[in-house]
Amino acid sequence: MKIFDVHTHPTFEAGRTDYDGVNEVVTYASTLGVEGMVVLGDVLLYGRTPSVKDVQAINSKTAELAEWFPDYLHGFCFLNPLLGESFVVDETERCISQLGFKGIKLEICNNARDDVMGPVMEQARKLNVPVLQHTADQTIIQEREFHTDPADTAWLGRQHPDVDIIMAHLTACGKRGVMEIADVPNVRLDTSAFQPVSGLVEFAVMHLGADRVIYGSDLLIRDLPTQIGRVKHARIDDADKQKIFFDNAVSLLFDR
Amino acid sequence: MTDFVDINISYGNWPFQSFALDSLEALTDHLKTSGISHAFASHLGSVFDPDTERFNRILVQDCSAISNCFPVPTVNPAVRGWLKQIEGLNEIANIRAVKVYPSYHNVNLSSKEMEEVARYVSESNLQLMIVVRLEDARTRYHGLSVTGVPTTAMIEFCKTHASINPVFLNAYLPEIREISSSVSNVYFDTSFADWFFVMETLRDSVGLSRILFGSHSPFLTTGASLDKVRLARLSESEKTIVLRQNASELFGL
């Protein structure tokens, strides 16, 4: 079964950032059936709220990776919305219009409900790209001031119904997270994060439909066979697996 | 490759997760279809209920009906009488290992009670499994304040009880690396170890002789846990060490 991975960080913190290091990742992923990946950037390399220079450096590294493997690695433009509208516009124009990135990536600079999200969503709408929002249940983590809960991602989706959003991290969002976005059709869910907790993929498919569930690994933080395995061994039919593993991502990123 | 040994399965009700495989028979049938021929099982009833004897006896009875399913009864050192219970179980079943849940039973690894447990398993030639956690701390039920067993406590326990070789279940990769860099009389299961090329990392930093396959089913997806080893960049002989050989030697299969 073909696989497209919408959630990867092929270079991460102190790990290898050279061509050979990335090639090792790509080669191994290819042996497991992965035919393409979204590169989200090393988004925490400079801390939670990176500067203009930091964000540009992260995205330039993403561009370098995509240039090394143009048919395999596809960049998303990482943004710190706190840096303001002017920078958001400039950086998205650079990354998406000029460098060919396929979407926007948001991490934990701010909560998805914050006003600074306005220009980001406007750029996503204008440039016709999806937004991947890092999301995790804040019930225990309790960082909602800057860390986005599934309810916040759902809120964002309702405010911007014409923008496609990928809510990251099925396991971190849990069943409550699935239910938060159930009635927000422009919000999809990626399968990444933590251990392959049983029953979650099945729950997501039951409540969102397979069309709104997208495979993501979150590598290099995660073990790739384990992340693939959580979908491969889920108790859903093969047609749904094919949508989750490949069709949904390709349609969202390339058929726009 | 088949005939894998899974040292970390559980069954019974768990209040925070619904299991599709809700009986030991259903779970072991599922494991067998995945190539897992031997499994070490525990009953989740004894995690929250102080009446461990009841669930241990159910466990022994359920395992007796399933080939190559080995009961791992729970020892709750916080409840008096555990020693008599385990000795009683040993008379009716071939017990190869016992399990403790220090965080769930409010037991410190440096406590007098754990010293007694360590002495008992040493004298009885039993293996001791220590559950570091059952769920990821970031996704557990918000009202449950149980956290993982502290790494420093695990290291001290191993140093204090050098004659036993505890098996730590559900430890994260950084914990495994830190503990194994301090003590050598220790084993770990694979269930919560996570990172890109994680099995190679374990091989190079810990040594595969200390790593045993554990799926942590039914909490986790069995096939995904198995693929961590089966599809790792290891040689076939290295995979066999983790999937079968280490457990066979440690538990005398």
Side-chain angles (χ1 to χ4, degrees), chain B residues 99-142:
Chain B
K99 186 178 282 187
V100 292
Y101 301 84
S103 298
Y104 293 86
H105 291 157
N106 196 28
V107 172
N108 192 313
L109 284 184
S110 63
S111 65
K112 181 169 61 68
E113 289 81 7
M114 279 305 299
E115 195 175 321
E116 290 171 4
V117 173
R119 187 184 311 121
Y120 172 69
V121 297
S122 177
E123 291 172 357
S124 308
N125 288 321
L126 292 175
Q127 296 303 321
L128 177 63
M129 294 186 179
I130 300 176
V131 178
V132 181
R133 60 182 55 78
L134 284 167
E135 298 171 302
D136 192 287
R138 295 158 293 189
T139 57
R140 64 179 158 77
Y141 177 64
H142 70 89

Side-chain angles (χ1 to χ4, degrees), chain A residues 2-41:
Chain A
K2 294 191 294 187
I3 299 171
F4 191 97
D5 191 336
V6 298
H7 196 134
T8 79
H9 310 272
T11 60
F12 190 75
E13 289 181 351
R16 292 180 65 176
T17 60
D18 61 322
Y19 175 87
D20 288 344
V22 178
N23 186 45
E24 193 177 10
V25 173
V26 168
T27 301
Y28 178 56
S30 299
T31 66
L32 298 178
V34 179
E35 299 201 350
M37 295 177 179
V38 164
V39 180
L40 300 176

